[in-house]
Amino acid sequence: EIVLTQSPTTMAASPGEKVTLTCLASSSVNYIYWYQQKSSASPKLLIYYTSSLASGVPDRFSGSGSGTSYSLTISSMEAEDAAIYYCLQLTSTPFTFGSGTKLEIK
Amino acid sequence: QVQLKESGPGLVQPSQTLSLTCTVAGFSLTSYNVHWVRQPPGKGLEWMGVIWNTGGTRYNSALKSRLSISKDTSKSQVFLKMNSLQTEDTATYYCARDGEQPFDYWGQGVMVTVSS
């Protein structure tokens, strides 16, 4: 099973601040997918194939990485970005999610 | 408009079987895969399994012995059955579609509590 380790577990950012979240895989994966979950809502796809922006997602979000190291960047934090962010790998089953990063607004 | 909606009992007794239905609209189950994902209260997401558009299935090995996923394409419904429920199975259960991108649409989720 591929384990995805996300860091930090929790962080707070000020409006306008650049934010970088990390997802490390225990084995090399082909791509990473990023999801945003607010409060008790369903997760929402943000980034697919590591760096492609999902439809309707603001372009302040971007993804990068390869092999075992991936990141999600928010170029300029906004209040509406406060949420939990999960990475996901679909390279091998069981498909696995990271444990999440909780991002708060300062 | 693509929609998925989970339904099922909110409360299940320990050792009993959970049966959930995911009713979809706006797409055909013969063309798209549907996954089940669960989330215990205050915790992260766990992939449970998938039913491919072809009807084949793949399960999380941690749940494989207890889990079954099936579908009725004519009714646009996907079914999850999991037996021998324990308190640690208390969670919100989601179905999600593999569309143009993986897990591009999710249902609202259904909360299931395992308790006597």
Side-chain angles (χ1 to χ4, degrees):
Chain A
E1 173 176 326
I2 296 177
V3 176
L4 300 180
T5 301
Q6 291 187 241
S7 61
T9 302
T10 304
M11 69 171 294
S14 301
E17 184 178 348
K18 181 179 180 179
V19 173
T20 299
L21 311 181
T22 297
C23 177
L24 297 181
S26 59
S27 300
S28 182
V29 298
N30 297 328
Y31 302 104
I32 279 292
Y33 305 83
W34 291 94
Y35 296 82
Q36 176 193 65
Q37 188 176 34
K38 294 184 178 182
S39 300
S40 300
S42 304
K44 170 189 173 184
L45 175 66
L46 293 178
I47 300 287
Y48 62 98
Y49 296 148
T50 299
S51 59
S52 295
L53 203 62
S55 177
V57 175
D59 62 6
R60 62 180 179 273
F61 289 91
S62 63
S64 63
S66 64
T68 60
S69 182
Y70 295 84
S71 63
L72 172 70
T73 298
I74 305 173
S75 61
S76 179
M77 177 74 181
E78 295 194 8
E80 66 181 24
D81 300 334
I84 300 175
Y85 293 82
Y86 294 95
C87 55
L88 165 69
Q89 68 81 20
L90 299 173
T91 296
S92 65
T93 56
F95 301 142
T96 48
F97 291 89
S99 55
T101 290
K102 185 176 183 179
L103 176 61
E104 300 173 326
I105 188 78
K106 281 185 185 175
Chain B
Q1 183 181 3
V2 173
Q3 292 184 327
L4 300 92
K5 185 173 183 179
E6 307 86 350
S7 59
L11 180 65
V12 179
Q13 293 195 340
S15 79
Q16 297 302 300
T17 297
L18 172 65
S19 295
L20 297 177
T21 300
C22 174
T23 302
V24 309
F27 67 97
S28 172
L29 293 174
T30 60
S31 299
Y32 294 89
N33 312 324
V34 172
H35 300 260
W36 285 95
V37 175
R38 69 178 180 176
Q39 184 171 38
K43 297 189 176 181
L45 303 165
E46 179 185 27
W47 177 77
M48 301 181 71
V50 60
I51 186 161
W52 308 113
N53 62 315
T54 57
T57 55
R58 186 70 63 91
Y59 302 121
N60 188 325
S61 53
L63 303 170
K64 187 175 182 179
S65 63
R66 300 195 290 140
L67 183 62
S68 174
I69 299 174
S70 60
K71 65 180 176 179
D72 184 333
T73 55
S74 66
K75 294 184 178 180
S76 295
Q77 293 180 322
V78 177
F79 309 106
L80 177 147
K81 289 189 187 301
M82 188 163 69
N83 58 33
S84 304
L85 253 62
Q86 301 302 319
T87 55
E88 52 265 33
D89 295 312
T90 293
T92 296
Y93 288 76
Y94 296 99
C95 56
R97 187 189 82 157
D98 262 352
E100 310 311 318
Q101 295 87 40
F103 299 79
D104 60 352
Y105 284 90
W106 296 62
Q108 64 190 21
V110 59
M111 178 65 194
V112 175
T113 300
V114 181
S115 174
S116 55

